[in-house]
Amino acid sequence: MSDATAKATARAVLPAPVGRSVGSAAWRRLKKNRLAMLGGVVLVLITLACFVTPLLLGLDPTSTNPAERHLPPSAAHWLGTDALGRDYAARVLIGGQTSLLVGISATFASVLVGVMFGAISGYFGGRTDEVMMRFVDFFYGIPYMFLVILIMLMFSETARGDPLPVFLALGLVQWLTMARVIRGQVLALRHREFVLAARVLGASHLRIVTYHILPNVLGVVLVYATLTVPTVIILESFLSFLGLGVKLSWGQLVAEGVGVVNPVESYWWLLFWPSVLLALTLFSLNFLGDGLRDALDPKTRH
Amino acid sequence: MALRSLGLIAVAALLVLVLARSIGLVEAIALVGGAGATAGTAWLPIRVVRVLAPILLGALLFGLTRATLTVPGAACLGALAVAVGIAKASPPVLRRIMFIIPSLGLLIFVTTLLMYHAPGNPFAGERIATPQVEAALRVQYGVPESALDFFQIYIRRLLLEGSFGPSLKVQGRMVGELLEPAFPVSIALGLLALVIACVLGLALGIRAGLRPNSVSDYASMALAMVGLSLPNFVIGAALIIVFALYLGWLPVAGWGGYQHILMPAFTLGLPYAAYIARLARSGTIETMQQDFIRTARAKGLSETAVVLRHALKGAILPVVSFLGPAAAGIMTGSFVVETLFSVPGMGQWFVKGAINRDYSVVLGTAIIYSALVTTFNLVVDLAYVWLEPRARSEL
Amino acid sequence: MYRTLLGIVGCLVGALFLVGMTFSASVEEEADFRFINSTEPKNLDPHLATGEPEGRILFNIFEGLMRLDAKTLRPIGGVAKSYELSEDETRYTFHLRDNARWTDGHPVTAHDFVYSWKRILDPEIAGQYAYILHGIVDARAFNTFGAHVKALRGEIREALTKLIAKSPGGASAREWQALLADTGAHSALEQAKDTVLTKRLSQRQGRLSRAELEDSLQRVLEQAKQLERAYREARQHLGKDRGIYAPDDHTFIVELEAPLPYFLEITTFYPTMPVPRWVVEAPGNANDWFLPEKIVSNGPFVFKSWKVNDRIRLQKSLSYWARDETRSNTIDVFPIENVTTALNMYLTGQVDWLLKAYPEDLGQRLQERKDFYAVPAMIVYFYRLNCSRPPFNDKRVREAINLAIDRTVITRDVLGRGELPAYLIVPPGMPGYEPPRSSVRFDVERARQLLAEAGHPDGKGLPEIGILYNTHEAHKKIAEVVADQLSRHLNIKASAYNQEWQSYLSTVRDGNYDMARAAWIGDYRDPNTFLDMWITNGGNNETGFASPDYDLLVRAAGNVPGYLERREAILEAVADRAAISQLLEASSGADSPERRQARSKLRLALLGEAERILVNDEFPIVPIYFYVNSGLLSPKVKGLYPMLELPDGTKAPNLQAHHPLYAVERQR
């Protein structure tokens, strides 16, 4: 999209830039937003469940026992068993580990690249900005799923279901939005008085960027990061559906669950549990993200 | 100035070195160089752009339509485009057009590189093919061993013959032949999904925005959340369970009648309806708080008129600017939805092509999708300016 | 202003209009019979196609000399209305009917068959099923000797000369074997009658002196000369007056090198079906003559339309000589790959026949349905073991793997459709064939013992074993179960991983795997189709398994009269010397009915001995189960026979899952 639309979108969904000592005020506002806090709590609970419970209970997601396949939830298997008799609770929780990790690492990668790119582009402006934004425009024009799928195929022989290429591929395509947004912010910021003052005082570009600009975009970065994780997790589920995803993740389980929807035998728990956990996690992330955004700019609240 | 150029060159060299390790030196240089050239169109002086862009546009139209309109007809169309372009189009639009064509070329190159470096060989069959047979096949299909050679052959064939080449996997068919019936299918599906997303999203979002914090507001937004928190194929599966397996009203999969397009379009469009609802809602809220709304109310206009005449634009604007990414997202979603519902569209072609190493099909679909999304983006931007003339300067 | 509103409404209306316009509302009338083919066919040229999905369509649009009766699956008259078989069972004379026509009106003549069979045997065409006609006089020479001669005189001669030049003191057997493997010399020399040369070819120990190498080079060139002569003769005579020829328009003669009990079945198989020369050779038709717009065929159905990714439509042919037997007017074939979608389409009445492809786990529930059928099939599911590198280059380890898998768990719990666990490679049901005793069974004790003997007590020192399978739900489940079993029973590390079809094929071909899933479908009802692939460097071997004894037995079985003089070598390779010796006796001598019977018994016995090597000595593969052909068939459909109805009133399983569609009809 062009500058116009990028800016319009930014204006519609982002908070206005703020000075440095915004942290505590924002935090107070956030705490008052009960939905967002609830989201945060749920997120923490789910993360704990996924990472701690399997260790505590010694759950094993891989031992097959075909004689016990497709059992509905019971005392022995709280969430039921899958097509090979594997304990579903184990699979859902450990799958959650992968999904969360993939989501966070891909987002982290994209934040890193996106912020650097956007900051440099927005700060220097002029030709540099034009060139860099052309890059971004170009990548926007590429249907990125193409690249992701092709990249996944490139790794299919060596990867064997590894999460690394997946999150690299997904991270690779998310940095664009981040770069765009950051650039917009930085562009607006660099004309503010405190920046001009710093320049007059002789601060180097690097110092300005690090000390004055970046802290102000931190809020935006946080908001966008929180909203990117769900996108990445959903994209990973797309890949799993097409047969290209990670070995064990929520996306994989959900794709498997969808694959067995038929009128003869309903294995509802196969689709239900990972969907519920997935939805809860993404809900929470979305609410949290919304809350953060509202907290950082009270004007968009009602 | 000099420092920046040096910096750029250093970055470029670094990129080449990094890439060369996995894709070979020549190809790395070509890639970085191509990317640089594409980006470099930003530097061209406006006079050059004024002339060059319409010519490129004309050539593009010529190439696209020569098959359907025959050479003289296509040449006329091309010339017409050139004339119109030189006379009427504004510089920013022209710069955008300047950019599209080299970027398509770069897209083809990147895709080619990725395909060539994926394991697997399009000519592997279940029973052994001898090296001679494989060599003969490579010549026949124009798929040499090196990515650069393939790129040259492909571009030449694309520009001179206007053809996407033969499919490597579907015996005896040209890619154009295969994609031709799939194109309207995907367009119909995507457009309908977009329409559904807009209608549902706007309706829900505006209504929620007009009554913020009410029960219906929370309900609508909760509903929207669901659309955003589940992958579209889960929603699709739910629709299948209810409408096809339980009620039997709609067919499970396939294509052929009006009943076949409903579930896929809904599945594809619902997540975007959710996004649009949120955008419309926040846009509405923001607009309704503006002064001119109070003025309109004070003037005695009915609430409906206020909304329709004044607030609507504020609600729509963010949605319009979202349409570009929405279209791209719908295209992505179509891979999954077409696979789920066995819809014979381009999305399935791309997925199958990538999995089967059918280079020509992959490139063909990539080009068409790219062109579609880019054009759509351009149209959306123009529409935005039409709606909000004050944004013209930012085009 | 109202601008915005106008804009929105305008856009929506415009978009909907576009939707309607672009929406190919090509609502077709429902077809008479609809079924699901697992995937889009690739190539519908009968001489170039190789898969089942292609076969299902080809069997209905083309017709060969004979055709299969739908009820009994016995060969009955197709284009040929009758045939005569000579006394010594090597000469068939087919009489073609007068009213067999192509869809463009031309009559089907014997010359069409000569042209077509020569076409599939043409080395330029590289038809992958050409080998099925190698039993015909001159056919093998015509098809393969040209390439062999080139290889012998080119690559092989060069390599040998180089080896001789750089080894004044002779070369080790290992270098010799490496040279043979790299140049593909084994296949180029497979027909060699030169016993000195063939013995040397299987030498794996010791050294070869320079003199022996030079002598081998001479013998190789001599072989090349002989092959060239045979090739020239074949080119001269095949199709004119030897092998296959047509004395007139309606008589077609086939001369075999030795009696083949399954030859008539071969004439029903699609690689042997005729193709119209004037269409195939028309300019510009090389790659697409079989597309609906251009094709000319001679079968009960016409290839009406092919909408890729949507459906293929067949229509009753009005020029077919037996058109009164064709019951349906239109048939739709859907290429649905997703098994659950396929099942749902069947259950909601969108299709009438679902073969094979449905979700495995539902097997048990679906088995309770009346419209479900499950019939044993001639297909074996197995894992290849990479015999050319550790750990599977040690046959004790291979045997251990074979003994450490509990196949009943897989067939009963993972599959559950009545599949049989496989302890052999050749599925049951081969007429006249006695399977050998097999050492493959479930015996963890012995497996552990073997591992210890091989230097890996309690699994120590064994690298992690990767079990490769091509992406598919069912293969994934089985591989994961096998990995788990091996890990548990042998205390080793094994894990399953997948690649999609193309990558998987490359990986297996390049030998980059430890254990790789595979399946083999028999092309005709004879054990040979499961055994001839395992010869050294066989195209479909891909395991590195090489046993000269095995090669000898399989080749001998392929041409009994030609190998009778190699008594000693054969007897050395078999286990039951007494029985084989007796059969060899009974087979030698002048031709007579008793001789021929003995020979055919000997053939099957030799194949049994070959299989014995695979499942008792060498274990290059791990058979897992024999397939069952199962599916769902709507009770409204008549004329499809998963269980064949034989003339004597009994029923027999339709092992090959051939279902000619001419007799199919659906009651609406």
Side-chain angles (χ1 to χ4, degrees):
Chain A
M1 55 174 122
S2 71
D3 287 357
T5 49
K7 283 199 192 143
T9 313
R11 257 182 266 124
V13 301
L14 284 180
V18 291
R20 234 203 298 171
S21 56
V22 71
S24 42
W27 178 236
R28 257 180 285 126
R29 275 194 293 270
L30 185 63
K31 276 203 283 198
K32 279 204 254 164
N33 185 339
R34 269 179 285 161
L35 226 45
M37 293 313 287
L38 184 63
V41 168
V42 169
L43 214 51
V44 169
L45 282 178
I46 292 183
T47 316
L48 276 178
C50 289
F51 282 93
V52 172
T53 327
L55 286 177
L56 286 181
L57 296 182
L59 295 177
D60 177 12
T62 55
S63 79
T64 64
N65 188 356
E68 287 194 354
R69 67 188 190 285
H70 289 313
L71 295 177
S74 61
H77 296 281
W78 288 3
L79 300 186
T81 63
D82 73 348
L84 287 175
R86 292 179 287 209
D87 179 43
Y88 214 49
R91 285 182 74 76
V92 169
L93 290 176
I94 295 188
Q97 290 181 7
T98 320
S99 286
L100 291 171
L101 277 176
V102 169
I104 294 178
S105 37
T107 304
F108 186 70
S110 73
V111 162
L112 218 57
V113 178
V115 167
M116 267 194 332
F117 207 83
I120 295 179
S121 178
Y123 186 73
F124 287 111
R127 272 286 145 78
T128 323
D129 176 41
E130 274 191 61
V131 172
M132 295 180 93
M133 280 304 113
R134 284 280 171 265
F135 257 121
V136 174
D137 278 342
F138 167 58
F139 276 107
Y140 249 121
I142 301 182
Y144 54 73
M145 213 41 175
F146 279 127
L147 297 185
V148 172
I149 290 180
L150 290 175
I151 292 175
M152 287 312 300
L153 281 176
M154 231 167 88
F155 283 106
S156 67
E157 200 164 84
T158 51
R160 294 195 192 181
D162 246 332
L164 179 65
V166 176
F167 87 69
L168 267 183
L170 293 177
L172 266 182
V173 303
Q174 293 301 316
W175 69 267
L176 297 170
T177 323
M178 189 72 68
R180 269 244 163 103
V181 165
I182 299 295
R183 171 213 179 240
Q185 285 287 87
V186 173
L187 256 184
L189 273 179
R190 78 182 172 133
H191 292 300
R192 298 289 291 278
E193 308 80 30
F194 62 94
V195 172
L196 291 174
R199 292 248 35 212
V200 160
L201 288 176
S204 74
H205 289 302
L206 188 61
R207 194 186 160 77
I208 298 182
V209 168
T210 331
Y211 280 106
H212 295 275
I213 307 238
L214 280 186
N216 281 306
V217 295
L218 220 51
V220 174
V221 169
L222 202 55
V223 171
Y224 254 82
T226 324
L227 295 176
T228 306
V229 178
T231 315
V232 169
I233 294 186
I234 290 193
L235 277 183
E236 191 273 320
S237 76
F238 279 14
L239 287 178
S240 294
F241 185 79
L242 295 176
L244 294 168
V246 185
K247 226 193 225 171
L248 178 60
S249 69
W250 281 332
Q252 179 72 28
L253 294 174
V254 161
E256 281 175 18
V258 165
V260 293
V261 162
N262 67 79
V264 177
E265 192 72 72
S266 135
Y267 305 123
W268 59 270
W269 58 96
L270 289 184
L271 186 55
F272 185 72
W273 301 117
S275 301
V276 160
L277 274 177
L278 187 62
L280 274 178
T281 310
L282 298 188
F283 257 55
S284 311
L285 282 167
N286 279 326
F287 278 130
L288 201 56
D290 279 354
L292 279 171
R293 184 196 313 137
D294 290 347
L296 285 172
D297 178 15
K299 272 202 288 188
T300 60
R301 294 189 69 211
H302 27 274
Chain B
M1 194 48 73
L3 198 65
R4 279 191 208 159
S5 317
L6 265 181
L8 272 173
I9 295 179
V11 169
L14 192 65
L15 270 176
V16 169
L17 282 173
V18 167
L19 288 173
R21 286 195 48 197
S22 45
I23 63 175
L25 188 60
V26 183
E27 288 160 346
I29 293 182
L31 181 60
V32 176
T38 310
T41 58
W43 266 289
L44 289 175
I46 189 65
R47 277 167 295 139
V48 177
V49 173
R50 269 224 133 98
V51 173
L52 205 49
I55 291 182
L56 279 177
L57 184 62
L60 190 67
L61 280 175
F62 174 66
L64 284 176
T65 52
R66 87 198 276 140
T68 40
L69 294 179
T70 77
V71 177
C76 289
L77 186 61
L80 189 66
V82 176
V84 167
I86 295 187
K88 297 219 79 184
S90 65
V93 174
L94 286 176
R95 275 201 190 276
R96 287 275 288 265
I97 294 176
M98 252 324 294
F99 183 68
I100 292 178
I101 291 155
S103 69
L104 273 182
L106 197 56
L107 167 71
I108 297 178
F109 190 59
V110 169
T111 314
T112 308
L113 277 180
L114 281 175
M115 288 191 303
Y116 262 78
H117 288 277
N121 170 350
F123 300 110
E126 163 107 35
R127 323 232 168 175
I128 308 291
T130 65
Q132 301 108 304
V133 172
E134 186 176 319
L137 285 173
R138 278 189 182 277
V139 169
Q140 186 186 357
Y141 285 104
V143 181
E145 302 258 343
S146 122
L148 276 177
D149 292 339
F150 175 78
F151 182 66
Q152 282 174 8
I153 295 179
Y154 192 84
I155 294 284
R156 196 174 302 146
R157 183 173 52 200
L158 188 61
L159 291 179
L160 295 181
E161 296 172 34
S163 144
F164 285 122
S167 159
L168 301 184
K169 287 287 143 179
V170 185
Q171 183 70 12
R173 311 268 206 148
M174 303 294 278
V175 172
E177 256 182 75
L178 294 173
L179 293 184
E180 206 189 293
F183 184 71
V185 171
S186 289
I187 297 275
L189 186 60
L191 265 183
L192 190 57
L194 206 53
V195 166
I196 290 176
C198 286
V199 169
L200 268 180
L202 281 175
L204 222 60
I206 293 182
R207 193 157 167 279
L210 288 178
R211 296 180 188 71
N213 277 334
S214 66
V215 171
S216 65
D217 176 22
Y218 280 129
S220 315
M221 285 305 108
L223 204 61
M225 269 305 190
V226 176
L228 291 175
S229 304
L230 283 174
N232 61 12
F233 56 88
V234 175
I235 299 177
L239 290 177
I240 292 180
I241 293 177
V242 174
F243 291 103
L245 298 180
Y246 189 66
L247 291 173
W249 290 350
L250 297 173
V252 164
W255 193 254
Y258 288 103
Q259 66 272 35
H260 283 109
I261 198 180
L262 285 176
M263 284 200 296
F266 264 95
T267 308
L268 202 47
L270 279 175
Y272 295 97
Y275 267 117
I276 289 180
R278 283 156 62 92
L279 282 178
R281 173 181 175 276
S282 64
T284 311
I285 291 179
E286 216 188 286
T287 317
M288 291 301 274
Q289 286 171 346
Q290 302 272 15
D291 293 334
F292 69 87
I293 295 291
R294 263 184 290 180
T295 320
R297 282 206 191 108
K299 280 206 272 178
L301 279 175
S302 73
E303 199 62 19
T304 332
V306 168
V307 170
L308 284 182
R309 267 203 209 171
H310 299 284
L312 208 53
K313 190 163 81 173
I316 300 279
L317 276 180
V319 174
V320 169
S321 65
F322 178 66
L323 283 183
I330 282 183
M331 189 212 63
T332 309
S334 75
F335 298 157
V336 169
V337 168
E338 286 186 18
T339 306
L340 181 63
F341 290 98
S342 296
V343 169
M346 288 203 299
Q348 269 215 67
W349 274 117
F350 171 68
V351 174
K352 289 193 176 156
I355 290 179
N356 291 331
R357 308 274 186 267
D358 192 338
Y359 298 163
S360 318
V361 165
V362 171
L363 279 174
T365 48
I367 293 175
I368 294 180
Y369 270 126
S370 257
L372 277 177
V373 170
T374 320
T375 316
F376 193 79
N377 271 324
L378 190 57
V379 168
V380 161
D381 283 347
L382 290 175
Y384 191 88
V385 169
W386 181 74
L387 276 178
E388 175 73 282
R390 283 174 283 171
R392 183 179 289 267
S393 59
E394 291 163 5
L395 194 64
Chain C
M1 284 288 117
Y2 283 108
R3 189 180 228 213
T4 326
L5 193 58
L6 203 63
I8 300 174
V9 173
C11 283
L12 286 179
V13 168
L16 281 175
F17 185 63
L18 257 177
V19 171
M21 259 185 41
T22 57
F23 184 59
S24 52
S26 53
V27 185
E28 302 200 47
E29 221 182 73
E30 213 179 59
D32 291 328
F33 178 64
R34 306 144 307 167
F35 71 98
I36 292 192
N37 216 0
S38 46
T39 173
E40 200 71 56
K42 297 219 170 12
N43 190 330
L44 288 179
D45 181 331
H47 298 162
L48 297 176
T50 54
E52 263 197 306
E54 288 81 5
R56 277 191 209 111
I57 300 191
L58 288 173
F59 272 112
N60 294 296
I61 55 179
F62 285 98
E63 185 180 65
L65 287 169
M66 309 290 282
R67 62 184 174 134
L68 291 172
D69 177 81
K71 251 196 212 161
T72 63
L73 230 55
R74 296 278 179 270
I76 57 175
V79 176
K81 62 178 183 233
S82 66
Y83 72 95
E84 280 131 32
L85 184 54
S86 65
E87 265 274 356
D88 63 357
E89 291 180 8
T90 61
R91 197 185 141 98
Y92 286 83
T93 311
F94 291 96
H95 299 288
L96 276 53
R97 24 184 118 244
D98 304 314
N99 56 347
R101 299 231 174 283
W102 294 100
T103 46
D104 62 357
H106 286 100
V108 183
T109 67
H111 302 293
D112 291 328
F113 280 92
V114 172
Y115 167 72
S116 304
W117 289 25
K118 273 185 83 175
R119 180 174 183 256
I120 192 178
L121 289 170
D122 188 343
E124 304 278 308
I125 296 284
Q128 291 173 335
Y129 262 119
Y131 65 83
I132 218 150
L133 292 174
H134 278 184
I136 299 177
V137 168
D138 279 342
R140 191 192 303 264
F142 184 83
N143 185 229
T144 58
F145 286 5
H148 289 336
V149 169
K150 233 183 5 170
L152 287 171
R153 290 208 178 128
E155 206 184 341
I156 297 176
R157 188 214 332 229
E158 267 182 52
L160 253 184
T161 320
K162 257 198 235 165
L163 183 63
I164 294 176
K166 75 170 180 108
S167 336
S172 72
R174 198 138 45 99
E175 287 177 287
W176 167 243
Q177 284 299 329
L179 182 151
L180 293 178
D182 284 339
T183 56
H186 285 290
S187 64
L189 291 167
E190 70 182 351
Q191 293 298 312
K193 298 269 198 302
D194 181 343
T195 42
V196 174
L197 185 57
T198 48
K199 202 145 186 217
R200 230 175 255 158
L201 283 178
S202 26
Q203 179 173 352
R204 276 164 207 280
Q205 317 279 37
R207 296 185 67 79
L208 287 92
S209 70
R210 191 201 174 96
E212 285 177 312
L213 287 176
E214 286 174 341
D215 177 58
S216 301
L217 180 56
Q218 289 312 311
R219 289 178 186 277
V220 162
L221 291 177
E222 177 59 41
Q223 256 302 99
K225 227 198 290 193
Q226 287 188 10
L227 288 181
E228 190 182 33
R229 199 179 314 134
Y231 181 60
R232 291 240 171 85
E233 286 204 15
R235 287 195 77 91
Q236 234 190 326
H237 292 289
L238 185 73
K240 298 213 185 62
D241 51 15
R242 230 166 54 182
I244 56 176
Y245 54 97
D248 61 62
D249 278 357
H250 296 285
T251 316
F252 180 65
I253 303 197
V254 180
E255 296 171 338
L256 302 175
E257 283 184 341
L260 279 182
Y262 49 85
F263 182 70
L264 277 183
E265 267 185 71
I266 289 183
T267 61
T268 66
F269 197 33
Y270 61 80
T272 67
M273 289 181 181
V275 297
R277 176 187 212 144
W278 56 100
V279 178
V280 174
E281 293 187 348
N285 278 2
N287 284 331
D288 58 2
W289 67 268
F290 49 84
L291 292 183
E293 310 88 65
K294 299 185 176 175
I295 193 173
V296 166
S297 57
N298 70 332
F301 289 93
V302 164
F303 192 11
K304 183 92 195 314
S305 68
W306 185 358
K307 295 203 203 141
V308 186
N309 276 344
D310 188 7
R311 76 190 76 188
I312 287 182
R313 178 161 284 211
L314 304 178
Q315 199 168 48
K316 171 171 173 167
S317 165
L318 297 172
S319 56
Y320 179 60
W321 64 271
R323 56 185 167 273
D324 295 329
E325 292 181 26
T326 314
R327 290 262 168 277
S328 295
N329 256 320
T330 48
I331 296 185
D332 268 352
V333 185
F334 292 95
I336 306 282
E337 288 181 0
N338 182 308
V339 292
T340 307
T341 310
L343 176 67
N344 288 338
M345 284 176 78
Y346 173 81
L347 292 172
T348 54
Q350 272 182 273
V351 300
D352 310 302
W353 182 30
L354 182 61
L355 11 48
K356 287 186 167 190
Y358 55 84
E360 262 80 26
D361 347 352
L362 297 181
Q364 303 225 321
R365 282 294 301 272
L366 292 175
Q367 276 185 328
E368 301 160 10
R369 293 173 64 105
K370 286 236 197 71
D371 51 1
F372 181 83
Y373 66 88
V375 177
M378 267 184 359
I379 311 178
V380 59
Y381 187 109
F382 61 98
Y383 287 96
R384 283 189 165 88
L385 292 175
N386 193 341
C387 307
S388 55
R389 67 180 199 196
F392 294 128
N393 53 351
D394 184 334
K395 72 178 182 190
R396 289 169 296 196
V397 181
R398 302 201 294 262
E399 187 176 355
I401 297 281
N402 264 291
L403 297 181
I405 299 180
D406 185 359
R407 293 158 177 79
T408 53
V409 161
I410 297 178
T411 55
R412 189 188 59 220
D413 297 326
V414 179
L415 296 168
R417 278 178 305 202
E419 282 90 352
L420 286 173
Y423 303 105
L424 294 162
I425 291 172
V426 178
M430 302 288 154
Y433 179 67
E434 263 183 51
R437 256 195 49 229
S438 165
S439 296
V440 177
R441 60 190 187 281
F442 181 46
D443 187 344
V444 178
E445 279 296 306
R446 178 83 185 120
R448 292 225 180 98
Q449 229 177 13
L450 283 163
L451 261 194
E453 278 173 34
H456 302 287
D458 203 29
K460 281 207 232 316
L462 264 184
E464 173 165 356
I465 296 182
I467 304 183
L468 171 63
Y469 62 94
N470 53 304
T471 311
H472 190 283
E473 240 343 274
H475 307 326
K476 173 172 164 178
K477 291 195 199 135
I478 296 179
E480 289 180 348
V481 170
V482 168
D484 186 45
Q485 286 189 353
L486 289 178
S487 306
R488 270 186 293 130
H489 297 155
L490 295 176
N491 198 24
I492 62 177
K493 274 218 266 180
S495 66
Y497 68 104
N498 67 312
Q499 291 173 2
E500 36 74 35
W501 187 241
Q502 290 291 325
S503 311
Y504 153 84
L505 284 177
S506 307
T507 309
V508 172
R509 173 146 347 126
D510 296 340
N512 271 331
Y513 67 95
D514 298 318
M515 221 169 131
R517 174 255 161 205
W520 192 257
I521 307 176
D523 295 320
Y524 45 85
R525 284 190 317 151
D526 188 272
N528 190 46
T529 175
F530 286 93
L531 296 173
D532 65 0
M533 50 195 281
W534 304 112
I535 58 177
T536 305
N537 294 326
N540 292 302
N541 182 337
E542 291 174 331
T543 59
F545 166 67
S547 159
D549 284 346
Y550 184 83
D551 295 349
L552 175 63
L553 291 175
V554 169
R555 297 223 172 91
N559 183 3
V560 170
Y563 278 72
L564 281 176
E565 65 254 21
R566 300 227 213 155
R567 285 187 66 99
E568 303 84 42
I570 292 181
L571 284 177
E572 210 159 310
V574 304
D576 191 352
R577 303 230 168 114
I580 300 288
S581 182
Q582 216 179 28
L583 284 170
L584 278 169
E585 273 300 317
S587 306
S588 322
D591 186 56
S592 73
E594 295 86 34
R595 289 275 171 281
R596 267 174 268 135
Q597 236 190 356
R599 281 187 190 161
S600 82
K601 274 214 191 88
L602 176 59
R603 191 181 74 87
L604 290 173
L606 288 173
L607 287 176
E609 288 288 342
E611 191 180 7
R612 185 198 52 80
I613 294 183
L614 295 180
V615 293
N616 278 295
D617 291 335
E618 297 284 339
F619 308 98
I621 69 178
V622 185
I624 300 287
Y625 71 88
F626 294 124
Y627 274 60
V628 154
N629 272 323
S630 56
L632 290 160
L633 183 59
S634 165
K636 299 204 188 117
V637 172
K638 285 220 280 274
L640 252 178
Y641 301 95
M643 285 298 277
L644 304 173
E645 296 173 10
L646 300 178
D648 59 4
T650 58
K651 291 201 179 211
N654 186 337
L655 283 175
Q656 284 159 291
H658 274 319
H659 299 282
L661 296 177
Y662 66 85
V664 171
E665 67 179 326
R666 166 169 77 114
Q667 300 159 324
R668 303 278 195 130

